[in-house]
Protein backbone atom coordinates (compact mmCIF):
# COMPACT_ATOMS: atom_id res chain seq x y z
CA UNK A 1 0.00 0.00 0.00
CA UNK A 2 2.85 2.39 0.82
CA UNK A 3 4.43 1.86 -2.60
CA UNK A 4 1.13 2.75 -4.29
CA UNK A 5 0.84 5.98 -2.31
CA UNK A 6 4.44 6.88 -3.13
CA UNK A 7 3.86 6.19 -6.85
CA UNK A 8 0.78 8.42 -6.93
CA UNK A 9 2.63 11.17 -5.02
CA UNK A 10 5.59 11.06 -7.43
CA UNK A 11 3.30 11.04 -10.48
CA UNK A 12 1.33 14.00 -9.08
CA UNK A 13 4.54 16.00 -8.59
CA UNK A 14 5.66 15.19 -12.14
CA UNK A 15 2.30 16.23 -13.58
CA UNK A 16 2.37 19.53 -11.69
CA UNK A 17 5.83 20.25 -13.14
CA UNK A 18 4.75 19.68 -16.77
CA UNK A 19 5.15 22.82 -18.84
CA UNK A 20 6.91 24.85 -16.15
CA UNK A 21 10.49 24.64 -17.45
CA UNK A 22 13.83 24.06 -15.83
CA UNK A 23 17.09 25.91 -15.41
CA UNK A 24 19.29 23.26 -16.97
CA UNK A 25 22.43 24.93 -15.65
CA UNK A 26 21.14 24.53 -12.12
CA UNK A 27 19.04 21.46 -11.44
CA UNK A 28 16.42 19.40 -13.25
CA UNK A 29 14.77 17.89 -10.17
CA UNK A 30 11.03 18.50 -9.98
CA UNK A 31 11.54 20.48 -6.80
CA UNK A 32 13.43 23.14 -8.75
CA UNK A 33 11.18 23.61 -11.80
CA UNK A 34 10.54 27.26 -12.61
CA UNK A 35 7.46 29.27 -11.75
CA UNK A 36 4.89 28.96 -9.06
CA UNK A 37 2.49 26.04 -8.98
CA UNK A 38 -0.17 26.55 -11.64
CA UNK A 39 1.93 28.82 -13.91
CA UNK A 40 3.09 27.12 -17.08
CA UNK A 41 5.02 27.99 -20.21
CA UNK A 42 2.85 25.51 -22.14
CA UNK A 43 -0.91 26.06 -22.08
CA UNK A 44 -2.84 23.14 -20.59
CA UNK A 45 -6.63 22.98 -20.22
CA UNK A 46 -7.10 23.27 -16.47
CA UNK A 47 -10.91 23.30 -16.58
CA UNK A 48 -11.60 19.84 -18.01
CA UNK A 49 -10.06 17.27 -15.68
CA UNK A 50 -10.20 13.51 -15.29
CA UNK A 51 -8.50 10.58 -13.57
CA UNK A 52 -5.29 9.47 -15.31
CA UNK A 53 -4.45 5.77 -15.12
CA UNK A 54 -0.73 5.03 -15.17
CA UNK A 55 -1.04 1.31 -14.49
CA UNK A 56 -3.90 -0.98 -13.58
CA UNK A 57 -3.74 -0.04 -9.91
CA UNK A 58 -2.21 3.45 -10.08
CA UNK A 59 -4.49 6.38 -10.91
CA UNK A 60 -3.79 10.08 -10.44
CA UNK A 61 -6.92 12.14 -9.73
CA UNK A 62 -7.74 15.58 -11.13
CA UNK A 63 -5.45 15.65 -14.22
CA UNK A 64 -6.03 17.89 -17.24
CA UNK A 65 -7.46 16.06 -20.24
CA UNK A 66 -4.55 17.45 -22.29
CA UNK A 67 -2.14 15.16 -20.43
CA UNK A 68 -2.01 11.51 -21.45
CA UNK A 69 -0.12 8.37 -20.64
CA UNK A 70 0.91 5.82 -23.24
CA UNK A 71 0.21 2.24 -22.23
CA UNK A 72 2.51 0.84 -24.92
CA UNK A 73 5.49 -1.22 -23.88
CA UNK A 74 8.68 0.77 -24.04
CA UNK A 75 11.43 -0.62 -26.22
CA UNK A 76 15.00 0.50 -26.22
CA UNK A 77 16.69 0.66 -29.55
CA UNK A 78 20.37 0.11 -29.46
CA UNK A 79 22.96 1.01 -31.99
CA UNK A 80 26.17 -0.84 -32.55
CA UNK A 81 29.19 0.02 -30.47
CA UNK A 82 32.31 0.92 -32.38
CA UNK A 83 35.85 0.27 -31.31
CA UNK A 84 38.23 3.21 -30.96
CA UNK A 85 40.02 2.49 -34.30
CA UNK A 86 36.63 2.34 -36.08
CA UNK A 87 35.61 5.69 -34.61
CA UNK A 88 38.97 7.20 -35.54
CA UNK A 89 38.59 6.03 -39.13
CA UNK A 90 35.06 7.41 -39.34
CA UNK A 91 36.17 10.80 -38.00
CA UNK A 92 39.13 10.93 -40.38
CA UNK A 93 36.84 10.03 -43.27
CA UNK A 94 34.47 12.89 -42.43
CA UNK A 95 37.33 15.37 -41.92
CA UNK A 96 38.94 14.60 -45.26
CA UNK A 97 35.78 14.81 -47.39
Amino acid sequence: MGELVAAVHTATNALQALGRGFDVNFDTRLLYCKGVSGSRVVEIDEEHRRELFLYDDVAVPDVSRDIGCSQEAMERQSSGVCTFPEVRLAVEFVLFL
Side-chain angles (χ1 to χ4, degrees), residues 85-97:
E86 291 171 331
V87 172
R88 189 186 76 223
L89 287 173
V91 169
E92 288 174 358
F93 178 77
V94 170
L95 290 176
F96 292 114
L97 283 179

Side-chain angles (χ1 to χ4, degrees), residues 16-34:
Q16 289 174 354
L18 282 176
R20 288 179 50 196
F22 292 98
D23 185 351
V24 178
N25 294 323
F26 181 63
D27 202 337
T28 56
R29 290 181 287 180
L30 296 177
L31 177 64
Y32 297 106
C33 59
K34 291 184 173 187

Side-chain angles (χ1 to χ4, degrees), residues 31-92:
L31 177 64
Y32 297 106
C33 59
K34 291 184 173 187
V36 296
S37 183
S39 69
R40 301 180 192 271
V41 177
V42 178
E43 186 175 321
I44 296 175
D45 182 4
E46 298 289 349
E47 292 180 17
H48 300 92
R49 304 179 81 71
R50 62 181 168 76
E51 199 170 41
L52 178 67
F53 289 92
L54 303 178
Y55 301 104
D56 292 336
D57 57 346
V58 178
V60 181
D62 201 32
V63 177
S64 169
R65 69 177 181 185
D66 290 342
I67 299 171
C69 178
S70 174
Q71 297 295 329
E72 297 177 12
M74 299 295 290
E75 249 183 65
R76 291 188 72 168
Q77 295 183 1
S78 63
S79 60
V81 177
C82 298
T83 64
F84 179 77
E86 291 171 331
V87 172
R88 189 186 76 223
L89 287 173
V91 169
E92 288 174 358

